[in-house]
Structure formats: structure tokens, C-alpha cells
Amino acid sequence: SGLCEGDNFPGGITNGAKWYIVEGGMQDFNYLFSNCMELTLELSCCKYPQDTELPGLWDQNRESLVKYLEVGMGGVRGIIRDSRGKGVDGAYVVVEGIEKNVTSTQQGEYWRLLAQGTYRIKAVKDGKESGWNAFEIKSIGSRYPVRLDLVIEDFVSGSNVVSISLLVVLVLPFLVNHL
């Protein structure tokens, strides 16, 4: 018999989907369609503990919760830049062997939680890519991520593309006709 009315959690951990199903939850949606990884931590057998019990639950779990937050600082992160050094918005960050890609921010920033191991990573935007870069995550418990900036060569971000295109369309015919 377990601590929670017959439930038994070997090592104190269970896969939530095996414990109870939440249909239509935001966790799966956010993981699949954004860069957000949400989780639920059950700190008590009681779904709705009394407010007077909360300080005790915090004290019992503080060290584990802080360690978990520190793990979230690890993995790999960096900035994806174009050939002029500008951050690339909306580039896909591809980790070889992992189906789920993450997307860079407006400033080109990306971050990816990864377990200990050796990986290859690249950035892809509009058919252009950075090429593969190898790196190693030495410890999942490290608070220090691998910093790996990626450059997509022959790619120019944002409004520069529009202005160059307009320059070619408007100015080039003028120059050809007047030179």
C-alpha cells in the first residue's frame, strides 16, 4: 500500500499520464506548439491542501524544487545570427535525433533543455542553414549551459531583405537605362 490511498510511487516519481489523464491540458499543447515546457508537481497526496500546510510542504520540498530549477538552466543556448550579425527571428533549432524543434526569438535567442550526452545541432530558416555543430552536455545537474551561437551564412534577416529587393527592382532599371 502506498502513501496516497493505494498509489505507490517507486522512488517518489510517477509518469503523470499513468497516474491520471488530463485531456485538453495546456502542457502538451505548449510543448508541441511553442517553446514552453510546462509541468505539474504534486507535492502532497491531497489535491487541495489547507493554506496552513503550505509552509510545511515548501520546507519538505525546497531543496528538490531549487535543484529542479537549476537543471532548467542547463542544456544548450545561444543566438542565431545572419551573415551580417543580426539575430534571426523564427529560425528552427534542429537537434539531430530529436523530432521536436524549438524556434528562435525575435532577437535570435534560443534555448534547449537536453539530457547528458553528445549532440549535433543546426539552425534553419527559409531553406538556409548554419550547418551541423557538435557539442556535449556533461551533466544534467549543471546550472551552466553550453553556449553555442549559430550563423546562417548567405541569409539576411528582416527588413534588409525588403530594402535590397526594392533597390534592385527600382534602381537597377534606372541605372541600366541611364548609363
Side-chain angles (χ1 to χ4, degrees), residues 120-156:
R120 287 180 4 123
I121 193 171
K122 69 178 177 179
V124 179
K125 174 79 179 201
D126 296 339
K128 306 274 187 187
E129 55 185 64
S130 66
W132 290 105
N133 292 269
F135 65 98
E136 181 181 7
I137 303 292
K138 295 185 180 187
S139 168
I140 186 101
S142 173
R143 293 185 292 178
Y144 306 103
V146 170
R147 174 69 188 253
L148 185 57
D149 292 345
L150 304 170
V151 177
I152 301 177
E153 297 292 343
D154 301 323
F155 181 82
V156 179

Side-chain angles (χ1 to χ4, degrees), residues 18-30:
K18 291 181 180 177
W19 191 25
Y20 63 88
I21 305 272
V22 176
E23 293 191 26
M26 290 300 294
Q27 291 176 338
D28 291 340
F29 178 85
N30 283 330

Side-chain angles (χ1 to χ4, degrees), residues 9-59:
F9 307 114
I13 298 172
T14 188
N15 177 323
K18 291 181 180 177
W19 191 25
Y20 63 88
I21 305 272
V22 176
E23 293 191 26
M26 290 300 294
Q27 291 176 338
D28 291 340
F29 178 85
N30 283 330
Y31 179 73
L32 292 172
F33 299 105
S34 75
N35 287 345
C36 181
M37 187 170 85
E38 295 186 16
L39 64 111
T40 300
L41 295 173
E42 307 279 352
L43 300 180
S44 167
C45 297
C46 179
K47 184 99 173 144
Y48 303 103
Q50 297 293 317
D51 60 351
T52 56
E53 297 176 50
L54 296 178
L57 290 171
W58 169 250
D59 289 340

Side-chain angles (χ1 to χ4, degrees), residues 65-81:
L65 292 170
V66 170
K67 289 286 184 194
Y68 187 80
L69 290 172
E70 289 174 351
V71 168
M73 301 289 292
V76 62
R77 65 180 64 188
I79 298 176
I80 301 168
R81 300 183 194 283

